[in-house]
Amino acid sequence: MKTAGIAYFTEPGGHLAHRIADGLAPEYEILWYEKGLKDWCAACFSEAELVIFIGACGIAVRTIAPLLKSKTEDPAVLVLDEAGQYVISLLSGHIGGANDYAQQIAKITGAIPVITTASDVRGKIAVDVFAKHNHLAISSMKSAKCVEAAILRGEPVAMYCSGEVHGTVPPELTLMNAESGDATAHYRIWISERTCPWLRPTGDGTGSQLPSAMGEAMTDMATSSLHTLVLTPCVVTIGIGCRRGKPASDVAEALQRVLKEEQIPEEALVGIASIDLKKEEAGILETAHEMGLPFITYTSEELLAVQGDFTPSAFVKKTTGVDNVCERSALLLAGDGGTIIRKKEAGNGVTVALAIQKWGIQF
Protein backbone atom coordinates (compact mmCIF):
# COMPACT_ATOMS: atom_id res chain seq x y z
CA MET A 1 0.00 0.00 0.00
CA LYS A 2 1.18 3.52 -0.80
CA THR A 3 1.30 6.32 1.75
CA ALA A 4 0.19 9.95 1.55
CA GLY A 5 0.54 12.63 4.18
CA ILE A 6 -2.20 15.27 4.52
CA ALA A 7 -2.05 18.41 6.67
CA TYR A 8 -4.84 20.98 7.11
CA PHE A 9 -5.23 23.91 9.48
CA THR A 10 -8.87 25.07 9.24
CA GLU A 11 -12.32 23.49 9.33
CA PRO A 12 -12.94 24.05 5.57
CA GLY A 13 -9.50 22.61 4.94
CA GLY A 14 -10.46 19.54 6.95
CA HIS A 15 -13.55 18.92 4.83
CA LEU A 16 -11.42 19.14 1.70
CA ALA A 17 -8.75 16.88 3.19
CA HIS A 18 -11.23 14.11 3.88
CA ARG A 19 -12.64 14.38 0.36
CA ILE A 20 -9.10 13.86 -0.92
CA ALA A 21 -8.52 10.95 1.46
CA ASP A 22 -11.74 9.30 0.28
CA GLY A 23 -10.63 9.78 -3.32
CA LEU A 24 -7.24 8.19 -2.64
CA ALA A 25 -8.72 5.21 -0.79
CA PRO A 26 -8.12 2.31 -0.67
CA GLU A 27 -4.79 2.58 -2.49
CA TYR A 28 -3.25 4.98 0.03
CA GLU A 29 -2.75 4.90 3.76
CA ILE A 30 -3.06 8.45 5.14
CA LEU A 31 -0.60 9.99 7.57
CA TRP A 32 -2.68 12.76 9.16
CA TYR A 33 -1.07 15.85 10.67
CA GLU A 34 -2.18 16.28 14.26
CA LYS A 35 0.63 18.10 16.09
CA GLY A 36 4.29 18.82 15.54
CA LEU A 37 4.26 19.92 11.90
CA LYS A 38 8.02 19.52 11.40
CA ASP A 39 8.07 16.02 12.88
CA TRP A 40 5.00 15.01 10.86
CA CYS A 41 6.58 16.30 7.66
CA ALA A 42 9.87 14.51 8.40
CA ALA A 43 7.93 11.26 8.82
CA CYS A 44 6.15 11.90 5.51
CA PHE A 45 9.44 12.51 3.70
CA SER A 46 10.68 9.19 5.06
CA GLU A 47 7.56 7.09 4.44
CA ALA A 48 5.23 8.75 1.93
CA GLU A 49 5.14 9.09 -1.85
CA LEU A 50 2.87 12.14 -1.62
CA VAL A 51 2.61 15.03 0.85
CA ILE A 52 -0.36 17.41 0.70
CA PHE A 53 -0.65 20.75 2.50
CA ILE A 54 -4.04 22.45 2.57
CA GLY A 55 -3.20 26.04 3.40
CA ALA A 56 -0.72 28.74 2.46
CA CYS A 57 2.25 27.91 0.24
CA GLY A 58 4.50 29.68 2.71
CA ILE A 59 3.69 27.14 5.43
CA ALA A 60 4.58 24.28 3.09
CA VAL A 61 7.80 25.88 1.86
CA ARG A 62 9.12 26.66 5.33
CA THR A 63 8.21 23.19 6.60
CA ILE A 64 9.78 21.15 3.81
CA ALA A 65 12.88 23.31 3.29
CA PRO A 66 15.14 21.57 5.87
CA LEU A 67 14.18 18.14 4.51
CA LEU A 68 15.01 18.59 0.84
CA LYS A 69 17.61 16.22 -0.61
CA SER A 70 17.33 15.84 -4.39
CA LYS A 71 14.79 15.51 -7.18
CA THR A 72 15.46 11.77 -7.28
CA GLU A 73 14.67 11.28 -3.56
CA ASP A 74 12.13 13.89 -2.44
CA PRO A 75 8.44 12.91 -2.43
CA ALA A 76 5.80 14.76 -4.40
CA VAL A 77 4.48 17.81 -2.53
CA LEU A 78 1.18 19.53 -3.35
CA VAL A 79 -0.46 22.63 -1.90
CA LEU A 80 -4.19 23.40 -2.06
CA ASP A 81 -6.04 26.44 -0.81
CA GLU A 82 -8.74 25.60 1.75
CA ALA A 83 -11.49 26.40 -0.76
CA GLY A 84 -10.13 23.83 -3.19
CA GLN A 85 -9.79 26.31 -6.05
CA TYR A 86 -6.20 25.40 -6.98
CA VAL A 87 -3.86 22.44 -6.51
CA ILE A 88 -0.21 23.43 -6.92
CA SER A 89 2.56 21.02 -7.86
CA LEU A 90 5.20 22.38 -5.49
CA LEU A 91 8.00 19.79 -5.41
CA SER A 92 9.19 16.77 -7.42
CA GLY A 93 6.90 17.48 -10.33
CA HIS A 94 8.52 14.93 -12.62
CA ILE A 95 10.30 12.00 -10.97
CA GLY A 96 8.32 12.34 -7.75
CA GLY A 97 5.12 12.53 -9.77
CA ALA A 98 3.72 15.76 -8.29
CA ASN A 99 2.47 16.95 -11.68
CA ASP A 100 0.54 13.70 -12.18
CA TYR A 101 -0.72 13.83 -8.59
CA ALA A 102 -1.91 17.40 -9.14
CA GLN A 103 -4.01 16.22 -12.07
CA GLN A 104 -5.35 13.32 -9.98
CA ILE A 105 -6.28 15.53 -7.03
CA ALA A 106 -7.84 18.05 -9.42
CA LYS A 107 -10.24 15.33 -10.63
CA ILE A 108 -11.16 14.48 -7.04
CA THR A 109 -11.73 18.06 -5.87
CA GLY A 110 -12.55 20.02 -9.02
CA ALA A 111 -9.54 22.27 -8.37
CA ILE A 112 -7.48 23.82 -11.17
CA PRO A 113 -4.04 22.15 -11.38
CA VAL A 114 -1.14 24.61 -11.31
CA ILE A 115 1.93 23.13 -13.01
CA THR A 116 4.97 25.28 -13.74
CA THR A 117 7.64 22.89 -15.11
CA ALA A 118 8.88 24.15 -18.47
CA SER A 119 8.38 20.93 -20.43
CA ASP A 120 4.74 20.71 -19.35
CA VAL A 121 4.07 24.39 -20.00
CA ARG A 122 5.55 24.12 -23.50
CA GLY A 123 4.05 20.72 -24.29
CA LYS A 124 7.45 19.03 -24.70
CA ILE A 125 8.51 15.59 -23.54
CA ALA A 126 10.08 15.50 -20.07
CA VAL A 127 12.80 12.87 -20.29
CA ASP A 128 12.81 12.09 -16.57
CA VAL A 129 9.04 11.51 -16.54
CA PHE A 130 9.32 9.41 -19.71
CA ALA A 131 12.04 7.31 -18.02
CA LYS A 132 9.94 6.85 -14.89
CA HIS A 133 6.81 5.80 -16.78
CA ASN A 134 8.83 3.27 -18.81
CA HIS A 135 10.82 1.93 -15.84
CA LEU A 136 14.15 3.06 -17.26
CA ALA A 137 17.19 3.78 -15.07
CA ILE A 138 18.61 7.27 -15.69
CA SER A 139 22.39 7.16 -16.08
CA SER A 140 22.97 10.75 -14.99
CA MET A 141 20.62 13.48 -13.84
CA LYS A 142 23.12 16.00 -15.23
CA SER A 143 22.82 14.38 -18.65
CA ALA A 144 19.03 14.35 -18.32
CA LYS A 145 19.03 18.06 -17.50
CA CYS A 146 21.38 18.82 -20.41
CA VAL A 147 19.29 16.89 -22.95
CA GLU A 148 16.02 18.31 -21.59
CA ALA A 149 17.43 21.83 -21.94
CA ALA A 150 18.26 21.07 -25.58
CA ILE A 151 14.68 19.90 -26.16
CA LEU A 152 13.32 23.11 -24.65
CA ARG A 153 15.66 25.19 -26.84
CA GLY A 154 14.30 23.38 -29.88
CA GLU A 155 17.61 21.71 -30.77
CA PRO A 156 17.59 18.31 -32.54
CA VAL A 157 17.68 15.30 -30.22
CA ALA A 158 18.24 11.84 -31.71
CA MET A 159 17.07 8.67 -29.98
CA TYR A 160 17.92 4.99 -30.32
CA CYS A 161 15.88 2.22 -28.70
CA SER A 162 16.72 -1.49 -28.90
CA GLY A 163 13.24 -2.46 -27.70
CA GLU A 164 9.87 -2.03 -29.31
CA VAL A 165 8.58 1.53 -29.68
CA HIS A 166 4.86 2.06 -29.12
CA GLY A 167 2.87 5.21 -29.56
CA THR A 168 3.75 8.37 -31.47
CA VAL A 169 7.31 9.60 -31.16
CA PRO A 170 7.16 13.30 -30.20
CA PRO A 171 8.38 15.70 -32.89
CA GLU A 172 11.30 16.89 -30.74
CA LEU A 173 12.88 13.41 -31.01
CA THR A 174 14.21 11.58 -34.08
CA LEU A 175 14.60 7.79 -34.12
CA MET A 176 17.90 6.49 -35.50
CA ASN A 177 19.93 3.29 -35.72
CA ALA A 178 22.78 2.43 -33.38
CA GLU A 179 25.52 2.31 -35.99
CA SER A 180 25.24 5.55 -37.90
CA GLY A 181 23.56 7.85 -35.41
CA ASP A 182 22.40 11.27 -36.56
CA ALA A 183 25.13 13.74 -37.43
CA THR A 184 22.67 16.63 -37.27
CA ALA A 185 21.88 16.01 -33.59
CA HIS A 186 24.33 17.18 -30.95
CA TYR A 187 22.20 15.57 -28.25
CA ARG A 188 21.19 11.93 -28.07
CA ILE A 189 19.16 9.47 -25.99
CA TRP A 190 20.30 5.85 -25.86
CA ILE A 191 17.70 3.33 -24.63
CA SER A 192 19.06 -0.20 -24.48
CA GLU A 193 20.02 -3.06 -22.21
CA ARG A 194 23.56 -2.77 -23.57
CA THR A 195 26.26 -0.19 -22.94
CA CYS A 196 26.07 2.84 -25.23
CA PRO A 197 28.68 2.43 -27.99
CA TRP A 198 28.72 6.16 -28.68
CA LEU A 199 30.49 6.80 -25.39
CA ARG A 200 33.91 5.31 -24.87
CA PRO A 201 36.95 6.42 -22.86
CA THR A 202 39.39 8.73 -24.59
CA GLY A 203 42.99 7.64 -24.88
CA ASP A 204 44.03 9.49 -21.73
CA GLY A 205 40.98 8.35 -19.77
CA THR A 206 39.79 11.90 -19.14
CA GLY A 207 36.55 11.87 -21.02
CA SER A 208 34.40 10.25 -23.69
CA GLN A 209 34.24 10.41 -27.43
CA LEU A 210 32.01 8.99 -30.14
CA PRO A 211 33.11 6.28 -32.59
CA SER A 212 34.15 7.57 -35.99
CA ALA A 213 30.97 6.15 -37.51
CA MET A 214 29.07 9.01 -35.93
CA GLY A 215 30.78 11.45 -38.28
CA GLU A 216 33.28 14.27 -37.97
CA ALA A 217 30.48 16.82 -37.78
CA MET A 218 29.84 15.72 -34.20
CA THR A 219 33.37 15.52 -32.82
CA ASP A 220 33.30 19.03 -31.36
CA MET A 221 30.28 18.05 -29.26
CA ALA A 222 31.38 14.52 -28.43
CA THR A 223 33.91 15.16 -25.69
CA SER A 224 31.30 15.34 -22.93
CA SER A 225 28.99 12.51 -21.92
CA LEU A 226 26.45 15.14 -20.88
CA HIS A 227 25.28 15.27 -24.49
CA THR A 228 24.17 11.62 -24.40
CA LEU A 229 21.48 10.47 -21.97
CA VAL A 230 21.61 6.73 -21.32
CA LEU A 231 18.35 5.11 -20.17
CA THR A 232 18.58 1.44 -19.18
CA PRO A 233 15.66 -1.00 -18.93
CA CYS A 234 15.87 -3.65 -16.20
CA VAL A 235 15.30 -6.65 -18.48
CA VAL A 236 18.33 -9.00 -18.48
CA THR A 237 18.20 -12.25 -16.51
CA ILE A 238 21.12 -14.41 -15.42
CA GLY A 239 21.20 -18.18 -15.28
CA ILE A 240 24.01 -19.78 -13.28
CA GLY A 241 25.23 -23.27 -12.58
CA CYS A 242 28.36 -24.25 -10.66
CA ARG A 243 30.22 -27.06 -8.97
CA ARG A 244 29.38 -27.47 -5.32
CA GLY A 245 31.41 -25.24 -3.03
CA LYS A 246 32.62 -22.78 -5.66
CA PRO A 247 33.60 -19.55 -3.87
CA ALA A 248 31.81 -16.30 -4.58
CA SER A 249 34.95 -14.87 -6.15
CA ASP A 250 34.87 -17.51 -8.89
CA VAL A 251 31.12 -17.10 -9.47
CA ALA A 252 31.40 -13.30 -9.62
CA GLU A 253 34.43 -13.42 -11.93
CA ALA A 254 32.64 -15.68 -14.41
CA LEU A 255 29.52 -13.52 -14.34
CA GLN A 256 31.35 -10.22 -14.68
CA ARG A 257 33.37 -11.56 -17.61
CA VAL A 258 30.21 -12.49 -19.52
CA LEU A 259 28.52 -9.17 -18.69
CA LYS A 260 31.57 -7.28 -19.92
CA GLU A 261 31.77 -9.27 -23.14
CA GLU A 262 28.07 -8.71 -23.80
CA GLN A 263 28.32 -5.05 -22.70
CA ILE A 264 25.49 -5.42 -20.19
CA PRO A 265 25.49 -2.82 -17.38
CA GLU A 266 24.38 -3.93 -13.92
CA GLU A 267 21.41 -1.53 -14.11
CA ALA A 268 19.93 -3.84 -16.77
CA LEU A 269 19.90 -6.92 -14.53
CA VAL A 270 16.68 -8.43 -13.17
CA GLY A 271 18.00 -11.30 -11.07
CA ILE A 272 19.95 -14.56 -10.90
CA ALA A 273 18.35 -17.98 -11.37
CA SER A 274 19.37 -21.60 -11.01
CA ILE A 275 18.04 -25.04 -10.10
CA ASP A 276 16.70 -25.59 -6.58
CA LEU A 277 19.61 -27.93 -5.85
CA LYS A 278 21.65 -24.72 -5.65
CA LYS A 279 19.31 -22.76 -3.39
CA GLU A 280 21.84 -22.91 -0.53
CA GLU A 281 24.96 -22.53 -2.69
CA ALA A 282 26.97 -19.95 -0.76
CA GLY A 283 28.97 -18.67 -3.72
CA ILE A 284 25.85 -17.83 -5.72
CA LEU A 285 24.00 -16.43 -2.71
CA GLU A 286 26.89 -14.13 -1.82
CA THR A 287 27.29 -12.95 -5.40
CA ALA A 288 23.58 -12.15 -5.68
CA HIS A 289 23.68 -10.29 -2.35
CA GLU A 290 26.72 -8.24 -3.35
CA MET A 291 25.04 -7.26 -6.63
CA GLY A 292 21.73 -6.47 -4.94
CA LEU A 293 19.89 -9.03 -7.06
CA PRO A 294 17.28 -11.61 -6.06
CA PHE A 295 18.27 -15.27 -6.39
CA ILE A 296 15.44 -17.47 -7.69
CA THR A 297 15.55 -21.25 -8.02
CA TYR A 298 13.38 -23.67 -9.97
CA THR A 299 12.70 -27.38 -9.75
CA SER A 300 14.03 -29.73 -12.41
CA GLU A 301 10.46 -30.24 -13.62
CA GLU A 302 9.99 -26.49 -14.08
CA LEU A 303 13.25 -26.21 -16.00
CA LEU A 304 12.48 -29.20 -18.22
CA ALA A 305 9.17 -27.60 -19.20
CA VAL A 306 10.96 -24.58 -20.73
CA GLN A 307 10.86 -24.68 -24.52
CA GLY A 308 13.92 -23.78 -26.57
CA ASP A 309 17.18 -24.86 -28.17
CA PHE A 310 19.61 -25.43 -25.30
CA THR A 311 23.23 -26.53 -25.06
CA PRO A 312 23.05 -30.06 -23.58
CA SER A 313 25.43 -31.59 -21.06
CA ALA A 314 25.32 -35.29 -20.23
CA PHE A 315 27.10 -34.68 -16.92
CA VAL A 316 24.64 -31.97 -15.86
CA LYS A 317 21.69 -34.15 -16.83
CA LYS A 318 23.06 -37.07 -14.81
CA THR A 319 23.65 -34.81 -11.79
CA THR A 320 20.50 -32.68 -11.85
CA GLY A 321 18.07 -34.40 -14.17
CA VAL A 322 18.18 -31.40 -16.52
CA ASP A 323 20.35 -31.21 -19.65
CA ASN A 324 21.11 -27.50 -19.11
CA VAL A 325 20.57 -25.41 -15.99
CA CYS A 326 21.88 -21.93 -16.76
CA GLU A 327 20.16 -21.37 -20.13
CA ARG A 328 16.84 -22.81 -19.02
CA SER A 329 16.79 -20.90 -15.72
CA ALA A 330 17.72 -17.59 -17.38
CA LEU A 331 14.95 -18.04 -19.94
CA LEU A 332 12.40 -19.10 -17.33
CA LEU A 333 13.17 -16.01 -15.25
CA ALA A 334 12.79 -13.85 -18.37
CA GLY A 335 9.17 -14.97 -18.71
CA ASP A 336 6.87 -15.09 -21.73
CA GLY A 337 8.50 -13.65 -24.82
CA GLY A 338 12.00 -13.87 -23.34
CA THR A 339 14.97 -14.88 -25.47
CA ILE A 340 18.51 -16.11 -24.84
CA ILE A 341 21.12 -13.45 -25.63
CA ARG A 342 24.19 -15.40 -24.42
CA LYS A 343 24.27 -19.17 -24.46
CA LYS A 344 26.15 -21.18 -21.87
CA GLU A 345 29.62 -19.91 -21.06
CA ALA A 346 31.52 -22.51 -19.03
CA GLY A 347 34.81 -22.14 -17.22
CA ASN A 348 36.42 -22.84 -13.86
CA GLY A 349 33.45 -24.84 -12.68
CA VAL A 350 30.89 -22.07 -13.33
CA THR A 351 28.36 -21.78 -16.17
CA VAL A 352 26.60 -18.54 -17.05
CA ALA A 353 23.86 -17.69 -19.55
CA LEU A 354 21.90 -14.50 -20.18
CA ALA A 355 18.35 -13.96 -21.38
CA ILE A 356 16.29 -10.86 -21.98
CA GLN A 357 12.65 -10.12 -21.24
CA LYS A 358 10.37 -8.85 -23.95
CA TRP A 359 10.27 -5.09 -23.49
CA GLY A 360 9.54 -1.79 -25.18
CA ILE A 361 8.81 1.86 -24.56
CA GLN A 362 5.51 3.70 -24.71
CA PHE A 363 5.03 7.32 -25.71
Side-chain angles (χ1 to χ4, degrees), residues 9-10 38 49 54 67 185-186 188 221 245 271 286 299 304 310 323 355:
F9 312 100
T10 66
K38 291 182 179 179
E49 290 82 11
I54 301 177
L67 302 171
H186 290 165
R188 298 158 300 278
M221 297 294 291
E286 184 178 337
T299 66
L304 284 171
F310 304 110
D323 59 352

Side-chain angles (χ1 to χ4, degrees), residues 80-292:
L80 291 90
D81 61 282
E82 66 172 30
Q85 297 180 91
Y86 302 99
V87 52
I88 302 169
S89 173
L90 186 67
L91 182 71
S92 293
H94 284 166
I95 295 179
N99 291 354
D100 290 338
Y101 279 125
Q103 299 283 1
Q104 181 180 356
I105 299 303
K107 291 179 180 178
I108 295 171
T109 63
I112 298 172
V114 179
I115 296 170
T116 59
T117 42
S119 56
D120 298 273
V121 171
R122 301 190 195 180
K124 303 288 187 180
I125 185 173
V127 293
D128 49 1
V129 174
F130 166 78
K132 178 182 178 180
H133 288 173
N134 284 279
H135 308 291
L136 305 170
I138 299 175
S139 61
S140 163
M141 291 307 299
K142 289 184 178 179
S143 297
K145 182 177 180 180
C146 183
V147 171
E148 185 64 39
I151 290 173
L152 294 175
R153 291 194 300 268
E155 297 190 37
V157 176
M159 185 190 81
Y160 168 76
C161 179
S162 63
E164 297 179 356
V165 178
H166 303 282
T168 303
V169 179
E172 53 266 36
L173 301 179
T174 302
L175 283 177
M176 60 181 172
N177 63 58
E179 289 74 28
S180 63
D182 184 343
T184 66
H186 290 165
Y187 298 88
R188 298 158 300 278
I189 300 174
W190 170 269
I191 308 173
S192 177
E193 72 284 354
R194 286 188 162 86
T195 303
C196 179
W198 310 332
L199 298 173
R200 63 184 183 188
T202 56
D204 59 4
T206 60
S208 299
Q209 63 183 13
L210 298 177
S212 57
M214 292 295 287
E216 295 181 0
M218 299 181 68
T219 56
D220 62 327
M221 297 294 291
T223 56
S224 172
S225 61
L226 289 178
H227 297 109
T228 297
L229 172 61
V230 176
L231 303 177
T232 307
C234 181
V235 292
V236 176
T237 61
I238 303 165
I240 285 184
C242 69
R243 289 203 300 263
R244 183 181 302 173
K246 290 300 292 183
S249 58
D250 289 350
V251 175
E253 189 279 331
L255 175 55
Q256 292 298 334
R257 183 180 68 253
V258 171
L259 293 175
K260 182 177 180 181
E261 290 174 357
E262 292 297 321
Q263 298 181 319
I264 304 293
E266 290 197 12
E267 293 83 359
L269 302 178
V270 173
I272 298 175
S274 190
I275 193 168
D276 59 358
L277 294 174
K278 296 295 178 182
K279 63 182 178 181
E280 302 296 335
E281 190 69 49
I284 301 178
L285 287 168
E286 184 178 337
T287 299
H289 177 74
E290 288 297 318
M291 297 180 70

